[in-house]
Amino acid sequence: MLNIAIYNEFKHEREVEECKAIYPDGIHAVLADFLGKGLDCSVSTFTLDNVNTGLNDEVLSKTDVLLWWGHMAHHMVSDEVAELVYQHVLKGMGAIFLHSAHMSKPFIKLMGTSCTLRWREAGEKELLWVTDPTHPIAHGINDYIELPQEETYGEFFDIPTPDSLVFVGWFRGGNVFRSGCAYRRGMGRVFYFQPGHETHPTYKHPQIQKILLNAVKWAAPMRRIDNLECHWETTAPESEK
Amino acid sequence: MLNIAIYNEFKHEREVEECKAIYPDGIHAVLADFLGKGLDCSVSTFTLDNVNTGLNDEVLSKTDVLLWWGHMAHHMVSDEVAELVYQHVLKGMGAIFLHSAHMSKPFIKLMGTSCTLRWREAGEKELLWVTDPTHPIAHGINDYIELPQEETYGEFFDIPTPDSLVFVGWFRGGNVFRSGCAYRRGMGRVFYFQPGHETHPTYKHPQIQKILLNAVKWAAPMRRIDNLECHWETTAPESEK
Amino acid sequence: MLNIAIYNEFKHEREVEECKAIYPDGIHAVLADFLGKGLDCSVSTFTLDNVNTGLNDEVLSKTDVLLWWGHMAHHMVSDEVAELVYQHVLKGMGAIFLHSAHMSKPFIKLMGTSCTLRWREAGEKELLWVTDPTHPIAHGINDYIELPQEETYGEFFDIPTPDSLVFVGWFRGGNVFRSGCAYRRGMGRVFYFQPGHETHPTYKHPQIQKILLNAVKWAAPMRRIDNLECHWETTAPESEK
Amino acid sequence: MLNIAIYNEFKHEREVEECKAIYPDGIHAVLADFLGKGLDCSVSTFTLDNVNTGLNDEVLSKTDVLLWWGHMAHHMVSDEVAELVYQHVLKGMGAIFLHSAHMSKPFIKLMGTSCTLRWREAGEKELLWVTDPTHPIAHGINDYIELPQEETYGEFFDIPTPDSLVFVGWFRGGNVFRSGCAYRRGMGRVFYFQPGHETHPTYKHPQIQKILLNAVKWAAPMRRIDNLECHWETTAPESEK
């Protein structure tokens, strides 16, 4: 059984009518619902109200995969939590960063770049194309997914070269975006996935849910290690030496 | 001084009025002209009329970078010429495959995949976005280039993961495409570049010319080797052994 | 249930006493045995005696993963069989190329490079180090595996940049080698794995068997497609257009 | 003309007789000397004495390529300087991290991983093999370089997948190491190079000097940008929209 943790800021959905209408219980509730139905798992959710106390070392030690959605309050997540998330990914925890989480503290820390991009809230149509159909995250996904409205994200997206570029997004207004990017970091696996603006019902789309179910399975750790410290070797492997 | 060779099929521009109007002397003539002006180089051109006799081992041995444009007559290039081009790339010759050359014999041989893609002759607008601004081929190129009309190419493009993905194309009709892909193969460097349909004046666009000038410089060999054969080593590098 | 096919040349083990002593029924018999025990699968084996007739389109259409061991008789495998294997990988069949299969026809065709390397039959100790501990093929493998004797393979190994470099080999005599290289090609997954010289009992080593079990699971297709042909799209995905 | 800055901790060479004998004026002096002779450049050097005051924003703004050697005093470089170096790399400055600088603050920040490795001070022979002979940093380098004595570094080296793996090291005692790793980060280029322990005269080796001259040329920025901030686009590139 997988232990899944979800962090969702949960500010837009309480403060903005448009978002409240789509996600009355928050984006995390929708994520928890379809993940819980699709996987043999237990799901814990955290919001800005309790992330700095609740998402602690003990919880992360038991977490197989963490999903992260944040936007206007990245700075209100403590540096300690960001550091903890970062360290647990390096030890083997999977992490999936959603939409505007490209600017979250732990994602930037894992990438080592600015993670900036172009953006425009125009409610444009997005077509999400599969560029690596052999990747486990693209399993069961058609050639492309149509999202009637999404926030436009555009290149240049300042990230390191992905280990696998799984999806590229097309936006009606003229932009392209590397929308699905898979990385390994330490013992952990990281996936960035662009769709999911708070004013559109993206996370209710069956194919988007399928992608996230795939991503959780892909990111789940094969093994965890407790210590990646530098270590002195007293003997060489080459024993006859 | 660089030795550049250009192969252009040169059938469309003789047979189709629309192409003749844009490239009266053939696509190769336009390529040769701006490369000759922009680089310290000598340029030889080959067409379907003489490629099977003219693009021989002696010529390729002296060639630093080969550009290749072909479309309807890929099958009329002999297997021997395709093999020679392939072997010379492995020995260090640079190769730039343009537009419909994705289905040319030497490109498929170098990729090891089907190199198929979606396509549609709709004369749609293309926006060509830079996804690796640090790559030498993107030097001096703006965030994106607008091409008023191009043939639409779309994913899934069946190629190996590029060593660098330099450009991604956006097409008005809803498609995205990995339009600029850099590879190393053996001692040689290979660049695939999507724009350049015969019914549009793409190769006259100053930024497209800039990209191809960059690409030739990037693909030019640092060194050439005559023999990559397997070889038996009588002694181990570890000499005390 | 997985359908596994194994091709083993089976010449050394019949002609050379030293090999016969280790693999009396051929390398394929040892591979078939531990794969059969470790996976829910059916295994078919082919040797040089019947590969050109038996490993046909019908058999390959049902094969999920093909393992390939060849050495002195690469040229005796027909071009037709090499082409069939290549085409089936592009359609989704997994393929694992073992040891001297780096020079086999289908592997070279899939790589698009010469696949040459340094080599030396010195029976040296090899230490096989894990360089990507997050890769499914390295699951359950220690930091390194000690092989008391192997044929030495050394860089420069003329292959395309692997999508994942899973293992790097150290050889007593001073050589290093990219010993475990994972690629995607078309819809298929390809793994090259260096250990396995016919004069050493490498395929009886439990950790080597673990790697190959992992590799078969990793290479098994998620989906197969019958046709990767170029296709004309009459309508653009962007339907309002 | 290139502006090169070198940071060298300069503690070992003042405190340890063995190091003082090899590098009486510090590692930075040897680096500055051969870079100054081999390139049209001006070189500034910084040590632990003045790095926290001298390597400021003004200096970094003018620097094309920064070389960094540190070991026992990584923690004494201020977080501010580490942040400045990181930001300037993202804006286009090249950075070359030498030997034990794998644990320096700016390198870890750029990588997003722990950057830990195995190590052993055994003065073992290293053979440094070229695994990407087409890379500009390997230009003019033989198949391998022999270093009579180096500190042993070994896998698993916890770094992100390199964009190019240029060198792999072999060590007498049984270890292998990804010794030359090239990355892009933001607008900048980063190279990690393993050889260079303070108790061995590695930086006096002509082929090592050749590699570092190549690396400086490769890392020098094509362009610098001042601002990679997220930005709002008021109009879509697709103007007919």
Side-chain angles (χ1 to χ4, degrees):
Chain A
M1 197 190 69
L2 286 176
N3 287 308
I4 298 175
I6 299 172
Y7 166 68
N8 173 34
E9 197 173 280
F10 197 30
K11 281 178 68 74
H12 297 278
E13 308 99 308
R14 281 187 284 200
E15 296 172 12
V16 183
E17 284 307 317
E18 188 184 8
C19 308
K20 200 183 293 186
I22 302 168
Y23 298 112
D25 302 316
I27 285 173
H28 56 290
V30 171
L31 296 174
D33 183 59
F34 75 76
L35 291 175
K37 286 173 181 157
L39 292 168
D40 178 22
C41 66
S42 82
V43 184
S44 317
T45 62
F46 301 85
T47 67
L48 193 56
D49 297 338
N50 66 346
V51 65
N52 290 329
T53 50
L55 202 61
N56 54 37
D57 193 51
E58 195 188 336
V59 167
L60 290 168
S61 298
K62 292 175 188 157
T63 300
D64 293 306
V65 182
L66 171 68
L67 292 93
W68 192 281
W69 196 104
H71 184 207
M72 65 167 90
H74 291 318
H75 61 290
M76 293 175 71
V77 175
S78 72
D79 289 349
E80 288 69 27
V81 165
E83 177 70 20
L84 272 177
V85 168
Y86 172 78
Q87 291 297 344
H88 278 276
V89 170
L90 297 192
K91 288 177 187 176
M93 183 179 74
I96 299 171
F97 293 91
L98 297 168
H99 189 58
S100 41
H102 71 95
M103 288 302 284
S104 66
K105 289 179 182 180
F107 186 67
I108 291 175
K109 214 169 159 62
L110 285 160
M111 294 294 105
T113 57
S114 73
C115 300
T116 54
L117 48 78
R118 284 165 194 276
W119 56 281
R120 189 174 60 240
E121 287 194 67
E124 293 174 336
K125 178 187 284 190
E126 175 176 6
L127 301 177
L128 187 70
W129 288 90
V130 175
T131 45
D132 185 356
T134 69
H135 199 282
I137 296 180
H139 182 46
I141 302 303
N142 300 335
D143 293 352
Y144 66 93
I145 296 173
E146 179 173 332
L147 299 169
Q149 288 199 306
E150 251 303 333
E151 181 181 17
T152 301
Y153 274 19
E155 297 286 340
F156 175 65
F157 184 20
D158 181 27
I159 46 171
T161 310
D163 292 334
S164 303
L165 176 62
V166 189
F167 301 105
V168 172
W170 174 99
F171 294 89
R172 187 77 174 77
N175 295 83
V176 296
F177 193 69
R178 286 171 289 169
S179 295
C181 298
Y183 295 92
R184 46 169 296 277
R185 284 292 181 272
M187 294 295 129
R189 297 197 184 106
V190 175
F191 185 59
Y192 172 78
F193 190 56
Q194 159 265 317
H197 195 56
E198 67 272 9
T199 61
H200 310 300
T202 301
Y203 295 120
K204 298 181 176 175
H205 191 297
Q207 288 262 296
I208 297 294
Q209 295 184 355
K210 172 73 174 157
I211 289 171
L212 292 176
L213 285 161
N214 287 342
V216 167
K217 282 191 274 188
W218 170 82
M222 294 193 315
R223 57 172 162 184
R224 288 263 196 153
I225 58 160
D226 287 329
N227 198 337
L228 262 174
E229 295 300 306
C230 276
H231 60 103
W232 177 282
E233 289 191 325
T234 47
T235 54
E238 227 311 48
S239 50
E240 308 94 323
K241 195 181 145 281
Chain B
M1 198 190 68
L2 285 176
N3 287 307
I4 298 175
I6 300 172
Y7 166 68
N8 173 34
E9 197 172 280
F10 196 31
K11 281 177 67 74
H12 297 277
E13 307 99 308
R14 281 186 285 199
E15 298 171 10
V16 183
E17 284 306 316
E18 188 184 6
C19 308
K20 201 183 292 184
I22 302 168
Y23 298 111
D25 301 316
I27 284 173
H28 56 289
V30 171
L31 296 172
D33 182 60
F34 74 76
L35 292 174
K37 285 174 182 157
L39 293 166
D40 178 22
C41 65
S42 81
V43 184
S44 318
T45 61
F46 300 85
T47 68
L48 193 56
D49 297 338
N50 67 346
V51 66
N52 290 328
T53 50
L55 202 61
N56 53 40
D57 193 51
E58 195 189 337
V59 167
L60 289 167
S61 297
K62 293 175 188 157
T63 300
D64 293 305
V65 182
L66 172 68
L67 293 95
W68 192 281
W69 196 105
H71 184 207
M72 65 166 90
H74 291 319
H75 61 289
M76 294 175 71
V77 174
S78 72
D79 290 349
E80 289 68 29
V81 165
E83 177 70 22
L84 271 178
V85 168
Y86 171 78
Q87 292 297 345
H88 278 276
V89 169
L90 299 191
K91 288 178 187 175
M93 183 180 75
I96 299 171
F97 292 92
L98 296 169
H99 190 58
S100 41
H102 71 94
M103 288 302 283
S104 66
K105 289 180 181 179
F107 186 68
I108 291 176
K109 215 170 159 61
L110 286 160
M111 294 294 104
T113 57
S114 74
C115 300
T116 54
L117 47 79
R118 283 165 194 276
W119 56 281
R120 189 173 60 241
E121 288 193 65
E124 293 173 338
K125 179 189 283 190
E126 174 176 7
L127 301 178
L128 187 71
W129 289 89
V130 176
T131 46
D132 184 356
T134 70
H135 200 282
I137 295 180
H139 182 44
I141 302 303
N142 300 335
D143 294 352
Y144 66 92
I145 296 174
E146 179 173 333
L147 299 170
Q149 289 199 307
E150 251 303 335
E151 182 181 15
T152 301
Y153 274 20
E155 297 287 338
F156 174 64
F157 183 20
D158 180 27
I159 45 170
T161 311
D163 293 333
S164 305
L165 177 61
V166 189
F167 302 105
V168 172
W170 173 100
F171 293 89
R172 187 76 175 77
N175 295 84
V176 295
F177 193 69
R178 286 171 289 169
S179 296
C181 298
Y183 295 91
R184 46 168 297 276
R185 284 293 180 273
M187 296 294 129
R189 297 196 185 108
V190 176
F191 185 59
Y192 171 77
F193 189 57
Q194 158 265 317
H197 195 55
E198 66 273 8
T199 61
H200 309 300
T202 301
Y203 295 121
K204 298 180 177 178
H205 191 297
Q207 288 261 297
I208 297 294
Q209 294 184 354
K210 173 72 173 157
I211 289 171
L212 291 176
L213 284 161
N214 287 341
V216 167
K217 283 191 273 187
W218 169 81
M222 296 192 314
R223 59 173 161 183
R224 289 264 196 151
I225 59 159
D226 287 328
N227 198 337
L228 262 174
E229 295 299 305
C230 277
H231 60 103
W232 177 282
E233 288 190 326
T234 47
T235 54
E238 229 310 50
S239 51
E240 309 92 322
K241 193 181 148 279
Chain C
M1 195 191 70
L2 286 176
N3 288 308
I4 298 174
I6 299 173
Y7 166 68
N8 174 34
E9 197 172 280
F10 197 30
K11 282 178 66 75
H12 297 278
E13 306 99 308
R14 282 186 285 199
E15 296 172 10
V16 182
E17 284 305 317
E18 188 185 6
C19 308
K20 201 184 293 185
I22 302 168
Y23 298 112
D25 302 316
I27 284 173
H28 56 289
V30 172
L31 296 173
D33 182 61
F34 75 76
L35 292 174
K37 286 174 181 156
L39 293 166
D40 178 23
C41 66
S42 83
V43 184
S44 318
T45 61
F46 300 86
T47 67
L48 192 56
D49 297 338
N50 66 346
V51 67
N52 290 327
T53 52
L55 202 62
N56 53 39
D57 194 50
E58 197 189 335
V59 167
L60 290 168
S61 296
K62 293 176 188 156
T63 299
D64 293 306
V65 182
L66 172 68
L67 293 95
W68 193 281
W69 196 104
H71 183 206
M72 64 166 90
H74 291 317
H75 62 289
M76 294 175 72
V77 174
S78 72
D79 289 348
E80 289 68 30
V81 165
E83 178 69 21
L84 271 176
V85 168
Y86 171 78
Q87 291 297 343
H88 278 277
V89 169
L90 297 191
K91 287 178 186 174
M93 183 179 75
I96 300 172
F97 293 92
L98 296 169
H99 188 59
S100 41
H102 72 95
M103 288 301 284
S104 66
K105 289 180 182 180
F107 185 67
I108 291 175
K109 215 169 159 62
L110 286 159
M111 294 294 105
T113 57
S114 73
C115 301
T116 54
L117 47 78
R118 283 165 196 276
W119 56 283
R120 190 173 59 239
E121 288 194 66
E124 293 174 338
K125 178 189 283 191
E126 174 176 4
L127 301 177
L128 187 70
W129 288 90
V130 175
T131 46
D132 184 356
T134 70
H135 199 282
I137 295 180
H139 181 46
I141 302 303
N142 300 335
D143 293 351
Y144 67 92
I145 296 174
E146 179 172 333
L147 299 170
Q149 287 198 308
E150 251 303 334
E151 181 181 16
T152 300
Y153 274 19
E155 298 287 339
F156 174 64
F157 183 20
D158 181 27
I159 47 170
T161 311
D163 293 333
S164 304
L165 177 62
V166 190
F167 301 104
V168 172
W170 174 99
F171 293 89
R172 187 76 174 75
N175 295 83
V176 295
F177 193 70
R178 285 171 290 170
S179 294
C181 298
Y183 296 91
R184 47 168 295 278
R185 284 292 181 272
M187 296 294 129
R189 297 197 185 106
V190 175
F191 185 58
Y192 172 77
F193 190 56
Q194 159 265 318
H197 195 56
E198 66 273 7
T199 60
H200 309 300
T202 301
Y203 295 120
K204 298 182 175 175
H205 190 297
Q207 289 261 298
I208 297 294
Q209 294 184 354
K210 172 72 175 157
I211 288 171
L212 292 176
L213 285 160
N214 287 342
V216 167
K217 283 191 273 187
W218 170 81
M222 294 193 315
R223 57 173 163 182
R224 287 252 198 162
I225 61 161
D226 286 329
N227 198 335
L228 262 176
E229 295 299 305
C230 277
H231 60 100
W232 178 283
E233 289 191 325
T234 48
T235 54
E238 229 310 50
S239 50
E240 308 94 321
K241 191 180 148 285
Chain D
M1 197 191 69
L2 287 175
N3 287 308
I4 298 175
I6 299 171
Y7 166 67
N8 174 34
E9 197 173 280
F10 196 30
K11 281 178 67 74
H12 297 278
E13 306 99 308
R14 281 187 282 199
E15 296 172 12
V16 182
E17 284 305 318
E18 189 185 7
C19 309
K20 199 183 293 184
I22 302 168
Y23 298 111
D25 302 316
I27 284 173
H28 55 290
V30 171
L31 296 174
D33 182 60
F34 74 75
L35 292 174
K37 285 174 181 156
L39 292 167
D40 178 23
C41 65
S42 82
V43 184
S44 316
T45 61
F46 300 84
T47 67
L48 193 56
D49 297 337
N50 66 345
V51 67
N52 290 329
T53 50
L55 202 62
N56 54 38
D57 194 50
E58 196 188 337
V59 167
L60 289 168
S61 297
K62 293 175 189 156
T63 300
D64 294 304
V65 182
L66 172 68
L67 293 94
W68 191 282
W69 197 104
H71 184 205
M72 65 166 90
H74 290 319
H75 61 289
M76 295 176 70
V77 174
S78 72
D79 288 349
E80 289 68 27
V81 165
E83 178 69 20
L84 270 178
V85 168
Y86 172 77
Q87 292 296 344
H88 277 276
V89 169
L90 298 191
K91 288 178 186 175
M93 184 180 74
I96 300 171
F97 293 91
L98 297 169
H99 189 59
S100 42
H102 71 95
M103 288 303 283
S104 65
K105 289 180 181 179
F107 186 68
I108 291 175
K109 214 169 159 60
L110 285 160
M111 294 295 104
T113 57
S114 73
C115 301
T116 53
L117 47 79
R118 285 166 193 274
W119 56 282
R120 188 173 62 239
E121 287 193 67
E124 292 173 337
K125 178 188 283 192
E126 174 176 7
L127 301 178
L128 187 70
W129 288 90
V130 175
T131 47
D132 185 354
T134 69
H135 199 284
I137 295 181
H139 182 45
I141 302 303
N142 300 336
D143 294 351
Y144 67 91
I145 296 173
E146 179 173 333
L147 299 170
Q149 287 199 308
E150 251 302 333
E151 181 180 15
T152 300
Y153 274 19
E155 297 287 339
F156 175 63
F157 183 21
D158 180 27
I159 46 171
T161 311
D163 293 333
S164 304
L165 177 61
V166 190
F167 301 104
V168 171
W170 174 99
F171 294 89
R172 187 76 174 77
N175 295 83
V176 295
F177 193 69
R178 286 172 288 169
S179 295
C181 298
Y183 295 91
R184 45 166 298 277
R185 284 291 181 275
M187 296 294 130
R189 298 198 185 105
V190 175
F191 185 59
Y192 172 76
F193 190 56
Q194 158 265 318
H197 195 56
E198 67 272 9
T199 61
H200 309 299
T202 300
Y203 296 120
K204 298 181 176 176
H205 190 297
Q207 288 261 296
I208 297 294
Q209 295 184 354
K210 172 73 175 156
I211 288 171
L212 292 175
L213 285 161
N214 287 342
V216 167
K217 284 191 272 186
W218 170 81
M222 295 193 314
R223 56 174 164 184
R224 287 253 199 161
I225 60 161
D226 287 328
N227 198 335
L228 262 175
E229 295 300 306
C230 277
H231 60 103
W232 177 281
E233 287 188 329
T234 48
T235 54
E238 229 309 49
S239 51
E240 306 94 323
K241 195 181 144 280

